[in-house]
Amino acid sequence: MDKKINPKTYHTITDFYASRILDIIDQNIKFNKRSCYFLVEIKNFNNLLFLYGNQDTYKMVENLGVAIQTDSLRVEVINHNHYLCIINEYKDDKEILSIAYEIFAKMHEFGFNKNNAHFYFHSVIGFYHTNYEDNQYSQDVINKCIIALDHAKNSQENFCSFKQVLAIRQELQKEIQQANFVHKSLHFKNYSLAFQPIVDSITGDIHYYEALLRLKNDKGELISIGPYITTAEKYGFINLIDNISMEMTIDMLYKHSELCMGFNISSLSFESEAAFENILSYLNLHQKVLPRLIVEITETSVIKNLGKAAMFVAQLQNLGCRVAIDDFGAGYTSFRQIKALSADYVKIDGSFIKDLASASDNVILVSAFIDMCHKLGIKTIAEYVENGNITKTLIELGCNYLQGNYFAPAQSGIPIELNMNNQDK
């Protein structure tokens, strides 16, 4: 192949579907070629144009195109800062990714000297590949390259395929469906509480019940809201969920004066001044039951303002509540944050507990968690306790409280009787 590229007339971005480009793609489609198209954008073109003017910059763009072209990779100049690189009869996705990386690397290695300074081109690539059986138009191919390129730029990636965009779109559609389901459930009050006991590891008595929000699906089944929490945080439903859980739990405390209960709030509540004040104001109206209330702060997102979070925990404790840090070890909370927050309890995430009897490394980690918390004056709760062997190990490690299906699954209605038959296993 001739290594000389004819830049012809530099097309504007609105003239993207230049006939010469579309003709090349149409010919590949007509002859059933298995082709991949890499749309390359020079990200710092405008900066170079400003510094060195049209003539020098355009010349370097032309030379860059020659440098990245190979015998198997055809390079077409689309406009002043875009190329379309084309390869036919690729082997597989792995080869395509390798070529994308090679194009990217060559562009960044290619530099030029000007006024005793060395400058480099910075690029981003969106690509799309066709198969023999594909029946589409050349404009469709270009559009898919543009979509992939836009996603690469928006996500600050070096390159992206249209296949990746499709996967992300499917994930986004699933996320939107989840958000709609949560919104509908909250709007029509299709929810209720389930309760799971937290058991004293020494006496076997129920220390308190965790109140867990359940949503009713289209089949009328009550399902955990847990898998929807991240979506709720992203779409702004989490404060409403926190408020519903809080109000329903407080109501249960009035109905069952002999019981202690806990409910979950998101750590994002610290980030919203309105949510922060709303929780404290509501609790302040119900101080009578607060000594029997445990506020469990979930660890699904990083606590950005540790000082503000510590103040929130202190205010909850001043009102008479106890505070637990939930899912410790699964997310972002560190021992430093645990110390700063001065919580009453730390709940060790179930991912460390469920394989405790067979995973020696988990035993070491859980032992360290428990020991550190005890030295800080914080009591520990192990989640996901599913059998007697795990229970025995946790008792030996000195864990204060246990929670899991071994004692009782989360269920509607209280008081919940423990699975006493399990206690001898």
Side-chain angles (χ1 to χ4, degrees):
M1 178 179 287
D2 185 2
K3 296 284 285 186
K4 176 66 176 175
I5 291 180
N6 181 7
K8 299 185 179 179
T9 303
Y10 285 102
H11 299 269
T12 64
I13 196 65
T14 55
D15 192 22
F16 198 88
Y17 305 125
S19 60
R20 64 190 178 85
I21 300 292
L22 301 182
D23 287 345
I24 293 168
I25 299 172
D26 283 333
Q27 287 297 308
N28 287 341
I29 295 172
K30 179 180 178 180
F31 290 103
N32 292 323
K33 290 185 177 180
R34 199 165 181 245
S35 306
C36 187
Y37 304 88
F38 303 86
L39 177 59
V40 183
E41 179 177 304
I42 302 172
K43 292 198 296 184
N44 62 334
F45 176 83
N46 288 334
N47 291 338
L48 298 173
L49 197 65
F50 175 76
L51 291 171
Y52 305 112
N54 292 6
Q55 185 175 354
D56 285 346
T57 305
Y58 287 161
K59 183 63 177 176
M60 290 310 302
V61 168
E62 181 182 346
N63 292 340
L64 174 61
V66 173
I68 62 176
Q69 183 168 271
T70 67
D71 289 340
S72 59
L73 185 70
R74 179 173 183 171
V75 179
E76 290 288 335
V77 177
I78 294 174
N79 63 8
H80 49 262
N81 65 330
H82 289 90
Y83 300 102
L84 187 67
C85 302
I86 306 166
I87 188 167
N88 294 322
E89 304 307 326
Y90 60 88
K91 294 178 182 177
D92 50 29
D93 288 357
K94 185 177 180 181
E95 183 186 13
I96 292 172
L97 285 174
S98 176
I99 294 169
Y101 181 80
E102 185 178 348
I103 294 171
F104 177 82
K106 279 186 175 181
M107 293 194 70
H108 282 253
E109 290 170 2
F110 184 85
F112 65 97
N113 291 299
K114 184 73 175 179
N115 298 332
N116 297 320
H118 199 74
F119 296 92
Y120 296 91
F121 288 100
H122 302 292
S123 64
V124 61
I125 304 170
F127 57 96
Y128 172 70
H129 57 278
T130 60
N131 291 308
Y132 297 123
E133 67 275 9
D134 288 347
N135 184 16
Q136 56 192 313
Y137 296 104
S138 52
Q139 290 92 338
D140 294 331
V141 171
I142 292 293
N143 286 338
K144 289 171 181 176
C145 288
I146 294 174
I147 291 170
L149 179 69
D150 285 343
H151 179 79
K153 290 192 291 186
N154 293 335
S155 58
Q156 297 183 334
E157 298 175 357
N158 295 330
F159 42 81
C160 175
S161 72
F162 184 73
K163 183 184 288 188
Q164 289 174 274
V165 176
L166 285 181
I168 292 167
R169 281 184 174 178
Q170 291 173 351
E171 191 64 31
L172 181 59
Q173 288 174 342
K174 179 182 176 182
E175 186 180 89
I176 292 172
Q177 289 174 347
Q178 287 185 332
N180 288 338
F181 168 66
V182 173
H183 181 266
K184 179 181 176 181
S185 299
L186 299 179
H187 179 74
F188 291 104
K189 298 185 178 180
N190 291 331
Y191 51 75
S192 63
L193 289 178
F195 303 90
Q196 188 171 39
I198 284 80
V199 179
D200 189 303
S201 64
I202 303 300
T203 66
D205 296 333
I206 296 175
H207 187 56
Y208 74 92
Y209 292 93
E210 181 180 3
L212 299 159
L213 194 63
R214 295 289 187 259
L215 304 179
K216 187 179 292 185
N217 64 17
D218 294 336
K219 298 178 181 179
E221 302 165 333
L222 290 174
I223 59 175
S224 172
I225 198 171
Y228 301 91
I229 289 298
T230 301
T231 300
E233 290 179 337
K234 182 174 180 178
Y235 284 83
F237 301 142
I238 194 63
N239 291 337
L240 181 57
I241 291 171
D242 288 349
N243 290 339
I244 290 171
S245 298
M246 175 177 64
E247 292 171 11
M248 293 180 73
T249 303
I250 294 289
D251 185 58
M252 293 299 291
L253 286 173
Y254 279 111
K255 292 178 179 178
H256 299 273
S257 58
E258 75 284 8
L259 301 180
C260 296
M261 291 188 181
F263 76 97
N264 293 282
I265 64 170
S266 168
S267 58
L268 291 183
S269 295
F270 309 142
E271 307 303 321
S272 168
E273 197 71 36
F276 182 89
E277 292 298 330
N278 181 70
I279 291 170
L280 294 177
S281 297
Y282 187 84
L283 292 175
N284 195 47
L285 296 175
H286 302 279
Q287 292 194 21
K288 180 180 178 180
V289 300
L290 297 190
R292 295 187 286 120
L293 180 67
I294 295 90
V295 180
E296 297 192 8
I297 301 172
T298 58
E299 199 206 354
T300 53
S301 60
V302 64
I303 298 174
K304 296 177 182 178
N305 191 328
L306 188 58
K308 193 173 183 180
M311 182 179 68
F312 181 62
V313 169
Q315 287 180 283
L316 289 173
Q317 292 169 328
N318 289 338
L319 286 172
C321 304
R322 284 166 285 173
V323 177
I325 304 301
D326 202 6
D327 302 324
F328 177 69
Y332 303 92
T333 304
S334 64
F335 281 120
R336 170 179 161 272
Q337 291 175 320
I338 291 293
K339 179 181 178 182
L341 294 174
S342 298
D344 300 282
Y345 307 92
V346 164
K347 300 186 73 174
I348 303 170
D349 186 71
S351 61
F352 295 96
I353 304 300
K354 60 183 180 180
D355 298 321
L356 193 64
S358 58
S360 58
D361 52 345
N362 278 3
V363 173
I364 294 171
L365 288 171
V366 171
S367 178
F369 291 162
I370 293 171
D371 184 57
M372 182 65 71
C373 288
H374 288 176
K375 287 179 179 178
L376 294 173
I378 301 170
K379 294 181 178 179
T380 52
I381 302 171
E383 302 176 309
Y384 215 101
V385 180
E386 300 297 296
N387 58 56
N389 289 333
I390 293 175
T391 300
K392 181 182 177 182
T393 301
L394 287 166
I395 291 173
E396 291 173 350
L397 294 177
C399 187
N400 301 106
Y401 303 103
L402 312 173
Q403 179 181 6
N405 291 341
Y406 178 66
F407 301 99
Q411 54 191 281
S412 301
I414 49 174
I416 297 172
E417 293 184 3
L418 301 182
N419 295 331
M420 297 309 294
N421 292 335
N422 282 339
Q423 308 312 303
D424 298 326
K425 294 181 181 178

